Amino acid sequence: MTATDPALTALAQGWCALSALHGRIEAHIERALQAKHDLSVREYSLLDVLSRQHAGEGGHLQMKQVADAVVLSQSATTRLVSRLEDRGLLERYLCPTDRRGIYTNVTEAGLRLLEEARPTNDAALREALDDAAKIPELAPLVRVVESLNVPA
């Protein structure tokens, strides 16, 4: 294959379209969350992921699992956790069975903020998808996103 191979060109164009869709959605949600709740998309995602933990077997996530879920490096995730902890939205504690492990939980204030922000996030996502659906290059991707039924 050469750099001008039609298959590579189509692949690159598809990737560009997917990247553009993601960027448009994330920017739209970011503006809405910042304006109404003083939250970034990453902060909202972290609160959302951590709020889904439970006390049962395997219910608490290790930092690597959290980092994977919010698509950040472990060090960036740790910094993000620290910022939200400083705001009183998260708290850390030692794992009761392995003192090397540290768990992070969402505080009551964090849960309240997450519940207040969830409708904003959902509405901004819907708006961003509706806007993107009007762009011919993005419309097929929007339909795919809308057709996905992925468990949380």
Side-chain angles (χ1 to χ4, degrees), residues 26 31 109 138:
E26 188 170 65
R31 286 189 300 273
L138 301 181

Side-chain angles (χ1 to χ4, degrees), residues 8-146:
L8 286 178
T9 301
L11 189 61
Q13 288 172 338
W15 170 244
C16 286
L18 181 59
S19 182
L21 178 62
H22 177 268
R24 291 174 64 91
I25 292 170
E26 188 170 65
H28 190 80
I29 294 172
E30 179 83 23
R31 286 189 300 273
L33 288 173
Q34 282 290 344
K36 293 183 180 178
H37 307 284
D38 193 29
L39 275 177
S40 71
V41 169
R42 298 289 187 199
E43 290 167 338
Y44 175 87
S45 295
L46 180 64
L47 288 172
D48 185 52
V49 165
L50 291 174
S51 74
R52 297 172 193 276
Q53 297 182 119
H54 56 84
E57 182 71 25
H60 277 88
L61 302 174
Q62 297 173 348
M63 197 56 74
K64 179 175 180 355
Q65 294 169 304
V66 174
D68 289 346
V70 295
V71 193
L72 289 173
S73 68
Q74 280 188 261
S75 60
T77 302
T78 299
R79 289 190 300 274
L80 185 57
V81 165
S82 294
R83 283 197 310 272
L84 292 178
E85 186 178 34
D86 291 346
R87 290 175 57 186
L89 303 175
L90 297 178
E91 60 189 0
R92 292 185 236 201
Y93 65 95
L94 290 176
C95 171
T97 58
D98 180 359
R99 296 191 52 88
R100 295 170 296 174
I102 298 175
Y103 290 142
T104 305
N105 273 339
V106 182
T107 64
E108 287 301 318
L111 289 172
R112 278 192 307 275
L113 180 58
L114 178 62
E115 288 311 307
E116 291 168 8
R118 193 177 307 281
T120 301
N121 179 80
D122 294 349
L125 173 59
R126 181 73 266 158
E127 291 166 5
L129 286 169
D130 289 347
D131 288 347
K134 297 171 188 169
I135 301 169
E137 304 81 40
L138 301 181
L141 294 171
V142 170
R143 286 192 297 276
V144 169
V145 169
E146 291 173 334

